[in-house]
Amino acid sequence: MKERAWSDFELYVITASTHHPGRELVDVMEQTLIGGAGMLQLRNKTGSREDVLREAAALRKLTRAYNVPFIVNDYVDIAIQVEADGVHIGQDDIPFEEARRLLGPDKLIGVSTHSLEQALKAERDGADYIGVGPVYPTNTKPGKAAVTTAYVTEAAAQIHIPFVAIGGITLDNADSVLEAGARRLCAVSAIVGSEDPAAVCRSFLNKIGQYSGYAPQSVTIMLNGEQRNTSARNLEELVRELGQSHKRMVAELDGVIVSRGMWRNTVIQPRADIELIQFVGGG
Amino acid sequence: MKASYETAALRLGGKELRSRFFLGTGRFPSPAVMQLALDASGAEVITFAVRRVDLESYEDDSILQHLGERGLTYLPNTSGASTAEEAVRIARLARAAGLGNWIKIEISGSPVTLLPDPIETLKATDILANEGFVVLPYTSDDPILCKRLEEAGAAAVMPGASPIGTGLGLLNPYYLGLIMEGAKVPVIIDAGIGSPKDAAEAMELGAAAILANTPIAKAKDPVKMAQAFAMAIEAGRLASEAGRVPKKRYASASSDPAGSLFLQPASVSHGGEGY
């Protein structure tokens, strides 16, 4: 991946053979690459190790031809063996430090997260990107509670590494996810389960393109009793934007005190009523 | 050799205070002078105000950065509030900021006199005392109102001697005396004190403490004045504990006339020399 940064991807596709019976994995995945997928992950939770290794080797060859990063779900050893670009791990899989130790510093490690807490931890651990989801209920991972677009908004405000919204995302609901702040989407069944994966990929990229370069939305808030517009996403950014970070102060949001340690995690919603208060000389 | 007497400690809000001088921190020429005056005053309780951060200025004018580890009791005031609701909000803010649970209720009813609004002050006292604050209301010198504040849960009452910042001293020592006589909580004279003489007068009258700011901060030498106040307050307290003589209409000799060299039996009762 020398010509462009791996993190430039906007559409992330994951394999799911059960969604295209009768069609070859490599053929379907090639269609997604033709359609413009910027990152490809092999996920095979049910096949034997030999099956996974065979698929990984084939997809490695394919992705290399399209100059797209290739990620293996869970199997660190297979990722190393086929020279994949990295692995993706879930919350209950191999610990991050262990994966990093095995892969070395240069391989990518992605982590599935289902809450802001997990996302912040992954970021601290040194994950290269995170999955944020499942945004909607999904058949790919049945029984897993959807995190909704609220978590997407939180992640957009507070996560600095690339994050990919995932889970039940289709062309019908992609706009909501993008409006919530996602700039990278991942779809599984919506792409590999369709008759024309390349066309679906192009449609997804088209939608994402409508939001790229789309500046973080400016919101109107009340600040110390005066109306003000800000593009700050959280309280910490707001105070920094105001050039007031060095001051001792107390912040109140909608009548509730927010301790300084929580500023970064406090999302600024439209019409928020914010007071920044200090203690001054008085009798 | 000078004898040294300890005055009784002031018990207030679960604390035992050696100093009966509460110092306001506003209007000092600089933070450095304020700190020196604070040290000279020996004050253990200081007041300050809660304000919006000036977003146009880079300078951090927070008072807290200058106080350091002095082990002071903080008494934030609710100045700027004109209703009980506003005062309650400021009180909660100050407490949430980790500055303790003492609050000086100051609800101005007039921009000209800055006299406290008695009805709103009573309302705020009631609410905040129920929320567990140590409530010190700045109030007018009305004995009945002070009683009502006490009943509402005030930890002390703080009648003004005269309007804030006037330095007019004790305008109505008679009412202040009635308040002190009737109160079961400490009476702290707040506002209007002009000089150490006023502070001593209030202490002699029976005040538990003095809260002063402007006469120190705006004195030519605030640090010296802080010490002068501290001495006057201590002198007034000692005098109050000692018990002053009653005032008399006519003179009475301080030297016993018996044995006087020039004693003329008929005129003995009118002798008046040697005070």
Side-chain angles (χ1 to χ4, degrees):
Chain A
M1 305 313 102
K2 301 290 175 271
E3 294 84 354
R4 65 174 187 197
W6 66 269
S7 56
D8 286 346
F9 75 92
E10 292 178 325
L11 184 63
Y12 190 131
V13 293
I14 300 180
T15 62
S17 300
T18 52
H19 286 279
H20 50 81
R23 284 185 290 165
E24 279 301 316
L25 177 70
V26 172
D27 295 344
V28 173
M29 297 323 284
E30 181 159 20
Q31 287 303 305
T32 71
L33 298 175
I34 289 167
M39 182 97 100
L40 196 152
Q41 181 192 131
L42 168 63
R43 181 163 68 196
N44 184 345
K45 296 276 195 191
T46 53
S48 66
R49 195 182 175 284
E50 287 68 34
D51 289 345
V52 179
L53 179 58
R54 188 175 38 77
E55 290 174 356
L59 292 174
R60 170 70 290 183
K61 201 173 150 201
L62 176 71
T63 50
R64 199 162 264 156
Y66 284 85
N67 195 21
V68 164
F70 174 56
I71 302 289
V72 175
N73 187 287
D74 209 11
Y75 291 91
V76 177
D77 53 344
I78 292 177
I80 295 168
Q81 201 173 333
V82 304
E83 296 178 357
D85 295 291
V87 296
H88 187 93
I89 55 180
Q91 290 293 320
D92 302 322
D93 298 335
I94 178 175
F96 183 89
E97 294 74 19
E98 179 69 1
R100 178 57 80 203
R101 192 181 63 76
L102 292 168
L103 288 160
D106 298 333
K107 295 287 184 186
L108 304 178
I109 302 181
V111 180
S112 296
T113 69
H114 317 300
S115 68
L116 186 63
E117 203 186 342
Q118 291 175 356
L120 290 167
K121 181 179 185 304
E123 192 176 52
R124 279 196 306 275
D125 285 345
D128 294 287
Y129 73 90
I130 56 168
V132 162
V135 181
Y136 300 107
T138 162
N139 287 330
T140 311
K141 290 198 169 181
K144 190 150 240 172
V147 296
T148 79
T149 53
Y151 173 35
V152 174
T153 303
E154 284 182 331
Q158 291 164 60
I159 299 302
H160 300 96
I161 57 174
F163 77 92
V164 191
I166 180 171
I169 297 174
T170 65
L171 288 171
D172 291 331
N173 61 28
D175 282 303
S176 305
V177 185
L178 291 163
E179 273 162 23
R183 292 296 171 269
R184 296 179 179 85
L185 301 183
C186 176
V188 185
S189 51
I191 294 174
V192 300
S194 82
E195 289 299 313
D196 189 348
V200 177
C201 284
R202 279 191 287 269
S203 299
F204 268 114
L205 285 166
N206 199 18
K207 276 193 188 294
I208 297 167
Q210 288 165 21
Y211 289 84
S212 66
Y214 170 93
Q217 219 161 3
S218 165
V219 294
T220 303
I221 59 168
M222 286 299 283
L223 178 64
N224 283 2
E226 285 177 23
Q227 220 174 54
R228 181 179 195 110
N229 289 315
T230 177
S231 58
R233 292 168 302 176
N234 57 55
L235 211 42
E236 187 182 82
E237 283 188 14
L238 176 68
V239 174
R240 198 184 310 133
E241 180 184 281
L242 294 165
Q244 305 286 313
S245 299
H246 60 294
K247 293 189 183 178
R248 285 162 188 76
M249 65 174 91
V250 178
E252 191 194 54
L253 171 64
D254 296 330
V256 180
I257 307 257
V258 183
S259 67
R260 198 155 192 149
M262 291 301 291
W263 287 3
R264 191 168 172 232
N265 300 334
T266 304
V267 175
I268 292 177
Q269 306 283 4
R271 292 179 300 283
D273 190 357
I274 296 165
E275 295 277 357
L276 299 176
I277 293 144
Q278 63 181 357
F279 299 96
V280 299
Chain B
M1 203 184 88
K2 194 171 77 175
S4 173
Y5 295 94
E6 286 255 313
T7 53
L10 169 60
R11 286 170 199 281
L12 183 59
K15 302 204 176 184
E16 205 167 279
L17 304 165
R18 299 305 318 174
S19 166
R20 290 170 179 269
F21 186 6
F22 293 12
L23 185 65
T25 55
R27 301 194 179 283
F28 278 87
S30 73
V33 172
M34 190 273 288
Q35 291 178 69
L36 289 171
L38 177 57
D39 292 338
S41 74
E44 295 167 271
V45 178
I46 59 154
T47 61
F48 46 78
V50 179
R51 289 286 181 272
R52 282 172 170 158
V53 172
D54 180 1
L55 301 173
E56 307 303 317
S57 133
Y58 179 81
E59 191 98 358
D60 185 3
D61 34 15
S62 165
I63 188 82
L64 298 177
Q65 64 186 308
H66 305 301
L67 297 174
E69 298 299 311
R70 284 182 163 87
L72 299 167
T73 295
Y74 294 145
L75 179 59
N77 68 39
T78 67
S79 66
S82 52
T83 64
E85 197 187 359
E86 288 167 5
V88 166
R89 183 163 166 237
I90 294 173
R92 288 175 182 158
L93 254 168
R95 179 160 73 176
L99 300 177
N101 64 344
W102 288 36
I103 189 76
K104 167 180 164 177
I105 297 180
E106 181 177 343
I107 305 176
S108 183
S110 152
V112 178
T113 63
L114 297 179
L115 285 172
D117 182 318
I119 294 161
E120 296 298 313
T121 300
L122 180 59
K123 222 189 281 178
T125 299
D126 188 43
I127 295 169
L128 292 172
N130 277 318
E131 290 185 13
F133 281 89
V134 174
V135 184
L136 285 76
Y138 162 57
T139 168
S140 35
D141 59 357
D142 182 315
I144 309 300
L145 175 59
C146 284
K147 209 64 208 163
R148 295 289 299 273
L149 290 167
E150 180 184 309
E151 287 160 6
V157 290
M158 305 206 295
S162 50
I164 295 171
T166 60
L168 291 173
L170 279 61
L171 289 186
N172 198 338
Y174 174 72
Y175 274 17
L176 292 175
L178 286 181
I179 292 167
M180 293 169 196
E181 259 178 60
K184 291 198 184 71
V185 295
V187 178
I188 298 164
I189 303 301
D190 178 5
I193 298 286
S195 74
K197 158 222 150 219
D198 298 334
E201 183 185 356
M203 292 305 292
E204 281 189 36
L205 205 53
I210 301 292
L211 198 171
N213 184 348
T214 308
I216 296 102
K218 300 301 262 185
K220 216 182 278 173
D221 186 335
V223 184
K224 265 186 193 163
M225 189 57 91
Q227 190 175 353
F229 261 88
M231 292 164 83
I233 290 165
E234 195 174 2
R237 175 64 198 183
L238 275 171
S240 156
E241 288 178 13
R244 60 154 293 159
V245 295
K247 290 182 181 179
K248 282 184 188 159
R249 179 81 177 88
Y250 294 109
S252 74
S254 46
S255 310
D256 196 329
S260 167
L261 270 71
F262 314 107
L263 190 65
Q264 290 175 340
S267 64
V268 167
S269 60
H270 291 294
E273 75 274 49
Y275 254 89

